[in-house]
Amino acid sequence: MTTSNQALQQWIDEVANMTQPDRIVWCDGSEAEYRSLVGEMLETGDLIELNQETHPNCYLHRSDPHDVARVEHLTFVCTEHAEDAGPNNNWMHPSEAHAQMDSLFDGCMQGRTMYVIPYCMGPIDSPYSRCGVELTDSPYVAINMKLMTRMGQAALERIEREGKFVRGLHSIGDLNPDQRFIMHFPQELQIQSFGSGYGGNALLGKKCHALRIASWQASQEGWLAEHMLLVEVESPQGDKHYLAAAFPSACGKTNLAMLIPPESQDGWKVRTLGDDIAWLHVDDAGQLRAINPESGYFGVVPGTNVQTNRNAFDMIKHDAIFTNVAVNANNEPWWEGKDDDQPVTDWQGRAVNGSGEPAAHPNSRFTVSAQQNPCYSELADDPAGVPISAIIFGGRRRELAPLVYEAKDWNHGVLIGASVASETTAAAAGKVGVTRRDPMAMKPFCGYNFADYWGHWLSFAARADELPKIFHVNWFRQDADGRFLWPGFGENLRVMRWIIDRCENQVEAEDTPIGYLPRPADLDLDGLDLDPDTLKQLLTVDHAAWREEMQTVGEYFTEYEHRVPELLTAEHQKILKTLK
Ligand code: OXD
Ligand code: MN
């Protein structure tokens, strides 16, 4: 392959000059190419063959033990002015960042192959899709990008037609955590990542492009790039609704997107459009529509079993890449919560010694093509995307946040999104279980100042005729003994049904200062073992605790100083007042 796009060719030449690879290989995205890369990686030991009888075409990759998650403290947004990146991002001036990265990239691909990966985020023919090219010295990245994006010839043709693309340069370097940087240059539509092979740091189409660069691009072009799953819910009567839900990493987006209705919810069907990222555009008729820019799932493995997510469990039995899982005596992938047999080798390849340490890394992952999902919605490939009925925010909160509540209007919904807080998880390096503000679940992913981002969200009130209703859910409430109050997983459909009822104006709701809550009778709780006291806890608004919460939110906003939109401050003040 070569390209007629001179800017692309010139950039490849420049990068090759700087990084000095032994070979340059263009990725065409074909099956044959995938198989041949897998073959090479089996030879080098980058991939380990799993049991091919029970898990055909499944392979294991063990990453460097110090390279197992996103590294937020080493991730930078490099804008001319620090205020444009905002307090939500680490900032470095572009010239300093370029100088630093140039010295790291200098000669770093000697003895290696540089893969040229043209990719399209979103259906190839969708006006909502955007393209990029990743240059990388990692064949692991190349095979993952094949599953996660529309990669290869068709993407290149679109790039040549449009002329515009995001440039992503990646090298694993020597995986030294002290020389690891994930740099974003939104104004140049450029990403440079060095020193990590982990998904979110290295598969540049995902977080770096589809969220950080795209969120900035979206703010310029009038759309939204969000950390949201996309799901289709079909009623027994055949009515379909499309919901977009933003939860922080490792809070169950994949499980909700692939939900299997429990027996009590006879006739309901749920299909997946996306499990991590949604791009939302207002169409010509003034309706908000969404596409999933990805074509595969890079999901958290531990906890996946027939009860929690049978679809995912089945989906990863063939043609999947596992990263950092353990292995059982039968050479099959194993993880905590798989609920069968025992591991013999842990994620680092060591014999399991009963020390009590997890055998699979808590952030171990599977990569699979979305086509393998038994409940995949074909509309995920529709260039027009799907019309969104509701937007759902949520976090992992032991206390305070009720099971579900609805924003009173769009601006209030933006405040709810901006106020999201959640306990940290293993998806990012750092302490787990610490509650932090994670507005719209975008804390690690918004490529510009959050205050401007909230302003951009607010601007949609004037951009669209039919805005979706906004909700907040919390599946993670616990009692004093740490037991979950709500069963979660498939039963979450009951909450989604209430959300749909509200979208269709079928049911009234309890008016509270923080939003509309379900009247218990409007939630279908048939067949659920939920005592009245638990239900009450799930649906109660503790005014004193919420006043404190909203004060904390106010303090959080002051970090953004004068840039916080007045509308948002007014909305915040209004709620504080009603909580008095
Ligand atoms: C992910 C994440 O991998 O959010 O999706 O960390
Ligand atoms: Mn994610």
Side-chain angles (χ1 to χ4, degrees):
M1 274 162 82
T2 51
T3 179
S4 59
N5 182 308
Q6 286 195 351
L8 173 55
Q9 190 57 54
Q10 197 183 336
W11 174 58
I12 295 170
D13 293 343
E14 278 166 19
V15 169
N17 243 331
M18 175 167 68
T19 59
Q20 308 264 303
D22 280 10
R23 290 198 305 156
I24 298 179
V25 169
W26 280 80
C27 292
D28 61 13
S30 65
E31 285 305 314
E33 173 184 86
Y34 181 85
R35 277 195 299 276
S36 126
L37 283 168
V38 165
E40 286 170 29
M41 292 176 72
L42 287 170
E43 253 164 53
T44 58
D46 270 351
L47 285 183
I48 297 163
E49 196 167 69
L50 291 163
N51 186 326
Q52 294 297 297
E53 262 162 51
T54 58
H55 289 71
N57 302 317
C58 285
Y59 306 98
L60 166 64
H61 173 74
R62 291 198 184 113
S63 76
D64 183 280
H66 303 290
D67 185 32
V68 293
R70 286 183 290 98
V71 280
E72 293 177 11
H73 61 296
L74 303 174
T75 299
F76 288 77
V77 168
C78 308
T79 44
E80 206 47 47
H81 304 287
E83 310 83 68
D84 292 333
N88 47 307
N89 282 300
N90 301 311
W91 174 83
M92 203 185 284
H93 191 274
S95 53
E96 190 190 339
H98 275 305
Q100 189 155 328
M101 296 309 273
D102 284 356
S103 75
L104 290 171
F105 279 115
D106 191 19
C108 73
M109 294 191 191
Q110 276 169 22
R112 298 180 185 172
T113 299
M114 180 169 92
Y115 300 92
V116 179
I117 304 176
Y119 63 87
C120 181
M121 299 312 291
I124 287 279
D125 297 323
S126 172
Y128 306 142
S129 301
R130 298 287 182 274
C131 291
V133 178
E134 175 165 356
L135 307 181
T136 177
D137 54 11
S138 161
Y140 169 81
V141 166
I143 58 171
N144 275 275
M145 286 289 282
K146 149 87 174 149
L147 299 177
M148 296 301 299
T149 71
R150 279 104 173 154
M151 147 185 159
Q153 188 63 39
L156 180 61
E157 281 163 20
R158 179 164 170 163
I159 289 170
E160 288 172 344
R161 260 195 327 273
E162 289 183 337
K164 200 169 173 184
F165 60 96
V166 170
R167 293 156 198 236
L169 171 56
H170 168 254
S171 170
I172 54 174
D174 56 7
L175 296 172
N176 175 357
D178 295 331
Q179 297 204 323
R180 182 174 294 162
F181 290 102
I182 325 294
M183 302 282 195
H184 302 75
F185 305 88
Q187 285 137 342
E188 302 165 28
L189 297 186
Q190 180 147 209
I191 306 154
Q192 297 197 342
S193 165
F194 190 90
S196 168
Y198 173 75
N201 305 327
L203 312 179
L204 301 186
K206 194 175 180 58
K207 305 300 187 180
C208 300
H209 177 164
L211 287 175
R212 296 194 195 96
I213 297 289
S215 61
W216 182 83
Q217 219 176 1
S219 76
Q220 309 292 301
E221 298 174 1
W223 49 282
L224 292 164
E226 299 299 324
H227 193 205
M228 289 177 176
L229 67 91
L230 272 180
V231 71
E232 173 184 294
V233 181
E234 183 179 338
S235 74
Q237 293 72 38
D239 297 328
K240 291 180 181 166
H241 282 274
Y242 299 93
L243 315 180
F247 306 138
S249 309
C251 285
K253 281 201 299 299
T254 306
N255 291 340
L256 189 66
M258 298 180 73
L259 182 148
I260 298 177
E263 265 170 38
S264 65
Q265 305 294 302
D266 203 24
W268 287 84
K269 296 194 183 85
V270 175
R271 298 185 192 92
T272 322
L273 286 114
D275 80 327
D276 195 41
I277 300 177
W279 285 357
L280 294 88
H281 289 252
V282 179
D283 69 11
D284 293 341
Q287 155 88 54
L288 198 64
R289 307 186 74 85
I291 60 162
N292 169 15
E294 300 189 282
S295 66
Y297 311 127
F298 181 67
V300 177
V301 189
T304 307
N305 60 50
V306 261
Q307 266 83 40
T308 58
N309 191 341
R310 195 184 68 224
N311 283 331
F313 192 79
D314 291 345
M315 164 178 89
I316 59 182
K317 277 195 180 135
H318 65 99
D319 299 277
I321 303 167
F322 289 89
T323 303
N324 293 338
V325 292
V327 173
N328 70 12
N330 207 16
N331 195 29
E332 292 163 334
W334 189 94
W335 53 87
E336 275 65 27
K338 192 184 181 192
D339 285 351
D340 68 2
D341 61 52
Q342 292 300 320
V344 295
T345 311
D346 77 0
W347 64 277
Q348 297 187 63
R350 303 173 302 195
V352 171
N353 59 14
S355 67
E357 289 277 299
H361 189 276
N363 190 36
S364 49
R365 299 281 179 146
F366 57 75
T367 321
V368 286
S369 160
Q371 308 276 348
Q372 283 180 212
N373 178 355
C375 58
Y376 180 64
S377 164
E378 282 173 4
L379 288 181
D381 291 310
D382 191 329
V386 291
I388 297 299
S389 301
I391 288 176
I392 305 170
F393 294 116
R396 185 184 281 273
R397 297 211 66 180
R398 254 170 282 227
E399 294 167 346
L400 192 76
L403 179 62
V404 58
Y405 57 100
E406 177 192 328
K408 300 200 174 170
D409 55 28
W410 182 260
N411 291 352
H412 178 217
V414 175
L415 172 69
I416 290 177
S419 313
V420 166
S422 190
E423 293 155 30
T424 50
T425 66
K431 215 166 168 245
V432 169
V434 184
T435 303
R436 69 163 180 183
R437 292 282 145 210
D438 194 348
M440 281 81 172
M442 284 286 279
K443 165 71 187 75
F445 308 121
C446 181
Y448 63 110
N449 191 317
F450 254 153
D452 301 346
Y453 167 80
W454 299 324
H456 183 52
W457 264 84
L458 290 166
S459 76
F460 278 74
R463 285 175 203 270
D465 298 333
E466 282 229 29
L467 279 169
K469 281 183 186 275
I470 298 181
F471 298 81
H472 185 284
V473 300
N474 178 20
W475 316 133
F476 300 97
R477 276 293 284 277
Q478 292 175 23
D479 66 14
D481 301 324
R483 269 187 298 264
F484 287 103
L485 299 184
W486 177 251
F489 300 105
E491 308 298 351
N492 292 337
L493 177 57
R494 299 171 190 266
V495 175
M496 294 206 280
R497 284 182 50 200
W498 180 78
I499 288 174
I500 290 170
D501 281 347
R502 289 294 296 165
C503 292
E504 291 187 334
N505 298 318
Q506 300 275 358
V507 291
E508 297 288 310
E510 211 76 67
D511 192 351
T512 83
I514 66 161
Y516 301 122
L517 263 75
R519 301 177 305 188
D522 293 327
L523 275 176
D524 173 6
L525 300 172
D526 255 15
L528 209 59
D529 187 16
L530 202 67
D531 60 74
D533 191 49
T534 306
L535 184 63
K536 195 161 165 226
Q537 283 188 64
L538 284 166
L539 297 181
T540 300
V541 178
D542 176 340
H543 282 222
W546 268 98
R547 197 159 48 238
E548 234 172 81
E549 171 77 358
M550 291 316 285
Q551 264 149 3
T552 320
V553 168
E555 280 158 30
Y556 174 64
F557 286 164
T558 59
E559 288 174 32
Y560 295 83
E561 300 175 350
H562 62 278
R563 273 172 104 119
V564 178
E566 265 173 42
L567 267 179
L568 196 69
T569 318
E571 212 42 62
H572 175 251
Q573 287 304 318
K574 200 159 85 189
I575 304 223
L576 253 184
K577 244 189 233 145
T578 50
L579 280 163
K580 284 230 161 80

